[in-house]
Amino acid sequence: MVRTALVVGASGIVGGATSELLLKEGWKVYGLARRPKDHAQIIPVAADLQDARQTAQALSDVKPDAVFISTWARQETEAENIRVNSSMVRNLLHGLSSSNPNMHVALVTGLKHYLGPFEAYGNGTLPQTPFREEQGRLDVENFYYAQEDELFAAANRDGFTWSVHRPHTVIGQAVGNAMNMGTTLAVYATICRETGRPFRFPGSSAQWYGLSDMTDANLLAKHLLWTVETPQAHNEAFNVVNGDIFRWKWMWERIANWFDIEPAEFDGTMSPLLEQMSEDAAIWSDIAKRDSLVESDIDRLASPWHTDADLGRPIEVVTDMGKSRRLGFREYQPTDDAFFALFESLRKNRLIP
């Protein structure tokens, strides 16, 4: 029997990887977006999740066995993030309320569950690392918490099972994504090589010298599917990371070497990419034209604000995956290999020269 999935955010980093894995495993896949992209195997569902009636109409004939929520809409304030993103989850699940009583819904959030929202990112009293799933919520408003509350309320109402997935920064390919460190660093390295500018680490000493981890989109997709297929993992929240740890002091040189440039010495001061790349739109447009790249708009590829937020944290960030390991999830992905695979894919798809 062919199983059916609804991927919300199918054109994003996480949704794209999840869709491809599901198709490989023989699932029938619907992809929901305001403006779905053409894909030979994904059935498009056009809906604005902020419009409850339109969402319900668009989902009237969709009866998924599993739903993967991997999208959000960035707003100017956390209060607006809460209002908009919680309503999107609420409208989606209300539109599916009569579709399949045996449905599983997987919600992708992230480590801001432990670090706080962008307005208070990495500030105040934070739980000690490694972050563990049993650590409670921070005493601060957070749109991740609001999304979870909508998920829990709908599950209690309709009886479906759920899971929450908290990746660290995700490495994967997508164009137009608001949180895209891998492609941002690829664009930045390309511009440094083109102009001769130093390839400077933009972040904090705590990140440069401290321990960190990340999440490959393909590993996250496997975790999402594993949770659907593992009854013991239902109605649980999980951290999801690659399984290795590293220091940016080591990783920065690895990335520089891939692009055949020299990494600049880190002097302990922060050099945000938002400032370093503020005048780079024209440079990127010229590179794209000369090398026949498919995307000349640097803002469609790079998200320096998000990379600055991650690399500027005042604490090291290490994430525990004990709950998944105990239940049998054994996937592992070296983070440098994840970066290199992404860079190869960007080059193959003519997104970088």
Side-chain angles (χ1 to χ4, degrees):
M1 181 178 177
V2 176
R3 294 174 292 177
T4 299
L6 173 65
V7 179
V8 184
S11 61
I13 293 176
V14 176
T18 303
S19 297
E20 293 301 326
L21 176 62
L22 291 167
L23 290 170
K24 182 180 178 181
E25 295 294 323
W27 286 63
K28 179 180 180 181
V29 178
Y30 290 87
L32 186 149
R34 282 186 298 173
R35 293 179 294 275
K37 294 184 178 180
D38 290 335
H39 190 292
Q41 296 174 277
I42 297 176
I43 303 167
V45 179
D48 180 353
L49 290 177
Q50 295 183 52
D51 186 326
R53 179 175 296 181
Q54 183 191 94
T55 299
Q57 291 174 344
L59 294 172
S60 60
D61 294 326
V62 182
K63 310 296 180 185
D65 298 294
V67 180
F68 303 91
I69 307 174
S70 61
T71 190
W72 72 295
R74 184 188 178 197
Q75 306 298 311
E76 290 297 322
T77 67
E78 190 61 19
E80 279 298 290
N81 274 329
I82 290 169
R83 183 186 67 81
V84 170
N85 289 284
S86 63
S87 71
M88 290 166 62
V89 174
R90 181 170 61 253
N91 293 340
L92 170 73
L93 297 179
H94 186 269
L96 292 168
S97 61
S98 61
S99 61
N100 185 345
N102 298 314
M103 181 174 69
H104 182 88
V105 179
L107 171 66
V108 179
T109 61
L111 294 195
K112 286 189 290 298
H113 182 92
Y114 310 105
L115 288 161
F118 289 119
E119 289 181 0
Y121 197 43
N123 297 321
T125 302
L126 300 175
Q128 291 186 345
T129 59
F131 294 137
R132 300 176 184 275
E133 293 98 338
E134 62 267 24
Q135 293 168 331
R137 295 179 175 183
L138 302 176
D139 186 20
V140 62
E141 295 296 311
N142 189 325
F143 83 86
Y144 283 173
Y145 305 160
Q147 287 182 310
E148 286 184 346
D149 288 343
E150 293 294 345
L151 174 68
F152 302 154
N156 287 334
R157 179 190 69 216
D158 297 330
F160 60 77
T161 59
W162 57 267
S163 55
V164 175
H165 305 256
R166 300 169 185 157
H168 197 164
T169 305
V170 179
I171 302 170
Q173 182 173 314
V175 175
N177 190 274
M179 299 191 295
N180 196 340
M181 180 190 286
T183 305
T184 300
L185 294 181
V187 169
Y188 173 56
T190 300
I191 290 173
C192 288
R193 185 178 61 199
E194 178 78 13
T195 63
R197 281 164 30 190
F199 185 60
R200 300 177 62 186
F201 182 71
S204 67
S205 293
Q207 288 296 300
W208 181 255
Y209 294 109
L211 295 172
S212 191
D213 50 29
M214 293 185 74
T215 307
D216 179 71
N218 295 309
L219 181 140
L220 177 53
K222 293 176 183 177
H223 191 271
L224 289 163
L225 182 55
W226 167 80
T227 306
V228 171
E229 297 177 336
T230 306
Q232 301 94 315
H234 291 174
N235 303 329
E236 297 283 352
F238 297 96
N239 296 330
V240 192
V241 287
N242 289 336
D244 65 339
I245 56 175
F246 62 89
R247 302 181 197 275
W248 275 104
K249 179 180 180 180
W250 175 82
M251 185 67 76
W252 199 249
E253 182 176 7
R254 298 279 288 165
I255 292 173
N257 290 342
W258 196 93
F259 285 95
D260 198 25
I261 55 178
E262 288 292 325
E265 292 291 331
F266 180 64
D267 63 5
T269 60
M270 294 177 63
S271 304
L273 290 180
L274 199 59
E275 297 175 7
Q276 291 194 56
M277 301 177 71
S278 62
E279 304 296 328
D280 286 345
I283 296 172
W284 186 258
S285 180
D286 289 342
I287 293 171
K289 182 178 180 180
R290 183 194 66 202
D291 294 312
S292 300
L293 304 183
V294 298
E295 183 55 70
S296 61
D297 183 352
I298 195 172
D299 293 330
R300 295 270 296 156
L301 295 173
S303 51
W305 70 274
H306 177 257
T307 300
D308 287 340
D310 276 3
L311 298 183
R313 297 176 186 137
I315 60 170
E316 69 176 19
V317 177
V318 181
T319 315
D320 179 74
M321 274 193 71
K323 185 187 288 188
S324 294
R325 302 305 187 206
R326 291 185 183 95
L327 292 176
F329 185 76
R330 300 285 187 259
E331 294 290 336
Y332 171 86
Q333 172 63 59
T335 299
D336 52 342
D337 287 351
F339 271 121
F340 301 156
L342 170 63
F343 300 155
E344 291 284 2
S345 179
L346 293 174
R347 183 166 286 173
K348 177 181 178 182
N349 290 290
R350 294 173 39 232
L351 287 165
I352 63 172

